[in-house]
Amino acid sequence: MLSATAARQKIDQVIVCIALPPRELLRRVWAMCELLGTTVKIVPTLGEILEQKNHLVNLKNVEMNDLLGRRPIEQFADDPEIIAAYAGKRILITGAGGSIGSELALQLSKANPRALLLLDKDENGLNDTYSRLQNGARRQASAVVADLRFSERLRGVLEGFRPDVIFHAAAHKHVHLMETNPCEAITNNVTGTRNLVEQSLAVGVSRFVQVSTDKAVNPTSVMGASKRICEMIVQQHGSHQKALFCCVRFGNVLGSRGSVVPIFQEQIQRGGPVTLTHPDAQRFLMTIPEAVSLLIQAGSLANNRDIFVLDMGAPVMIQKLAEDLIELSGLSPNRDIRIEITGLKPGEKLSEVLIEASSELHPTRIEKINAISTRVFNVPAFVNNIQALERSAWEGRSEEVYRHLAKLDIGYGSQLPSRPWPFSPNRVAAVAASSASGMLAPEPS
């Protein structure tokens, strides 16, 4: 009824006046209005009005927290220990043009830093983040386009800015793309992290927070393996330093570029099909603001070699999520909107875990943040293996990259690609030869 009325009368906005509306009702109303381009607002509760959290005329937007039924995680604004970790500090954020880096910039700008440096090699994303900052925060912020893989360039940036705190969020993250571009995954994620850690120590950084992922646990992908190596690099360099180093692991975030919910919504709007990799696939899910709030709080707990794990609740079945979104749009799965199983992409898992089977979670003083005890590893052997790995990656030897990853004690099993590389060595040689003769060589059979 709502869908038909909104379409016929071109309703611009739907206002929910029910006190504490049921989650399922909110999700249904929101899904219908999403398809019609209509916004949804909620009248604030009497308690919110009396506490001056909302004025009666200021209607509340329906947010992902309302739809998923998740209790919002408290912000860090009133925690003196967290404020002390960042207030008056010079803070550098790498990957500031991405989903996590951008939200880090917004939230940290409210912690009264002395200065904020936003760094990314993606100039468009970096410009978007800088533009989103409020005027006051923008005066304290600078945006730098730079690639972490080039140590000389990075050294100049860090020596000029002299950061006290670094949040390292820059990384290639798409699993299937990195499976067919393993050399890029290693040079960007591993070399970039190693350069940043080494240069950070050289300029006297006091706190370093490595953003990690659940895909680093028992990795089946090059991306996950590269992130586990990044954790070990941070642990290796942080073990005997005065600076506080830590890593923070969490799962998928909703709303990031390429995340599942916006993709499903777009597919539903087009009339389907909604594509799933596997009917049993499940993932840990959290909103970007929640993940970043906990990331900042975990950074204030930093103690050398710590790995912090965010409590993301129970994993979500992706097929159930797709079916719910279809039904909440007033449609029927596999009748109005077909669900198509495409198969797992190279390197993907059916499900993720946040810790190894041999690890134990230890609570911290902050709710929803746990720490795990770190495993001691052979540092000289690790350094030698990483040097060989990086050398193969820079030389474009994909098969060697897989073999070096398999030699590392990170729980990774070598997975040779199931399809041709975009630029195989034979193809590159053929193209080079044809360029000299002025003819384009055919693709090798």
Side-chain angles (χ1 to χ4, degrees):
M1 181 66 183
L2 173 63
S3 178
T5 302
R8 185 171 61 254
Q9 299 183 3
K10 295 182 179 179
I11 295 174
D12 296 320
Q13 191 172 95
V14 171
I15 300 175
V16 179
C17 300
I18 303 172
L20 300 175
R23 176 168 61 93
E24 288 302 318
L25 173 63
L26 276 179
R27 293 176 66 186
R28 186 175 293 277
V29 171
W30 175 81
M32 289 180 179
C33 291
E34 276 285 296
L35 290 173
L36 298 166
T38 302
T39 59
V40 185
K41 301 272 188 175
I42 303 176
V43 173
T45 65
L46 179 60
E48 289 175 326
I49 296 171
L50 293 176
E51 294 174 11
Q52 297 183 339
K53 290 182 178 180
N54 274 294
H55 296 291
L56 186 58
V57 295
N58 293 332
L59 302 180
K60 173 185 170 186
N61 284 312
V62 176
E63 300 173 349
M64 191 64 71
N65 284 328
D66 299 312
L67 304 175
L68 297 181
R70 186 192 299 279
R71 182 173 64 87
I73 293 171
E74 296 295 327
Q75 296 292 315
F76 57 88
D78 58 350
D79 189 313
E81 292 189 44
I82 295 174
I83 292 174
Y86 305 115
K89 301 295 195 305
R90 305 175 69 87
I91 303 175
L92 166 65
I93 301 170
T94 73
S99 303
I100 295 296
S102 177
E103 183 67 21
L104 273 169
L106 293 176
Q107 292 195 25
L108 285 169
S109 68
K110 301 172 185 177
N112 298 317
R114 179 181 175 188
L116 199 60
L117 182 64
L118 313 178
L119 186 148
D120 206 307
K121 64 179 180 180
D122 174 11
E123 62 168 332
N124 292 320
L126 185 61
N127 183 65
D128 290 344
T129 299
Y130 185 74
S131 300
R132 289 177 63 196
L133 292 177
Q134 296 179 355
N135 290 334
R138 199 178 302 166
R139 285 194 295 270
Q140 294 178 304
S142 302
V144 172
V145 180
D147 192 325
L148 300 179
R149 290 178 288 192
F150 302 108
S151 58
E152 294 82 1
R153 167 67 171 141
L154 184 58
R155 182 183 305 116
V157 172
L158 266 63
E159 288 180 348
F161 184 67
R162 294 281 169 176
D164 303 301
V165 179
I166 291 180
F167 280 86
H168 180 31
H172 286 325
K173 67 176 185 177
H174 291 289
V175 169
H176 66 285
L177 286 180
M178 293 305 101
E179 285 302 293
T180 53
N181 296 273
C183 296
E184 178 70 15
I186 298 305
T187 58
N188 186 78
N189 294 2
V190 175
T191 303
T193 297
R194 181 179 55 78
N195 283 340
L196 182 63
V197 170
E198 292 174 354
Q199 298 297 337
S200 298
L201 292 172
V203 299
V205 167
S206 60
R207 192 181 301 269
F208 187 106
V209 182
Q210 165 75 28
V211 178
S212 193
T213 170
D214 54 2
K215 295 170 180 61
V217 183
N218 302 323
T220 58
S221 65
V222 173
M223 192 283 282
S226 72
K227 294 296 285 184
R228 176 60 188 130
I229 292 170
C230 292
E231 290 182 348
M232 296 172 73
I233 290 172
V234 171
Q235 292 176 267
Q236 167 207 346
H237 285 84
S239 58
H240 302 294
Q241 303 294 337
K242 294 181 180 179
L244 299 176
F245 282 72
C246 73
C247 304
V248 184
R249 280 185 197 159
F250 52 92
N252 293 30
V253 288
L254 295 170
S256 64
R257 284 183 288 182
S259 61
V260 66
V261 170
I263 290 176
F264 285 168
Q265 289 173 336
E266 182 179 349
Q267 290 174 335
I268 293 169
Q269 289 176 353
R270 293 201 309 261
V274 169
T275 56
L276 300 176
T277 58
H278 195 283
D280 297 325
Q282 55 183 324
R283 296 289 183 266
F284 291 102
L285 298 177
M286 181 174 278
T287 65
I288 293 174
E290 286 178 315
V292 168
S293 176
L294 287 177
L295 176 60
I296 292 172
Q297 294 178 60
S300 72
L301 299 172
N303 192 3
N304 284 348
R305 297 172 61 89
D306 274 343
I307 294 180
F308 295 108
V309 178
L310 304 188
D311 179 0
M312 304 191 71
V316 175
M317 296 295 296
I318 302 303
Q319 179 161 346
K320 182 65 166 60
L321 179 62
E323 291 171 348
D324 285 347
L325 284 172
I326 293 171
E327 290 174 352
L328 294 174
S329 301
L331 302 169
S332 175
N334 290 318
R335 188 182 70 185
D336 301 315
I337 299 291
R338 181 167 55 90
I339 294 178
E340 180 179 300
I341 305 299
T342 60
L344 289 173
K345 296 176 182 177
E348 288 186 333
K349 299 179 184 178
L350 275 181
S351 60
E352 304 284 355
V353 294
L354 287 163
I355 64 171
E356 296 84 354
S358 59
S359 298
E360 292 184 3
L361 288 175
H362 305 285
T364 68
R365 68 174 183 83
I366 298 178
E367 185 184 4
K368 291 187 174 292
I369 300 177
N370 296 301
I372 61 173
S373 54
T374 57
R375 182 168 56 89
V376 177
F377 57 92
N378 187 324
V379 172
F382 174 74
V383 170
N384 290 336
N385 286 331
I386 295 307
Q387 289 175 346
L389 173 67
E390 290 188 42
R391 188 183 310 115
S392 294
W394 280 105
E395 293 174 356
R397 302 182 182 277
S398 302
E399 290 79 5
E400 287 186 9
V401 166
Y402 276 92
R403 285 194 287 270
H404 287 308
L405 290 177
K407 292 178 183 177
L408 290 164
D409 185 18
I410 58 174
Y412 173 79
S414 179
Q415 292 186 345
L416 292 178
S418 58
R419 56 191 178 198
W421 297 109
F423 298 100
S424 64
N426 291 339
R427 174 61 174 165
V428 172
V431 171
S434 64
S435 298
S437 63
M439 297 177 61
L440 180 62
E443 186 71 35
S445 58

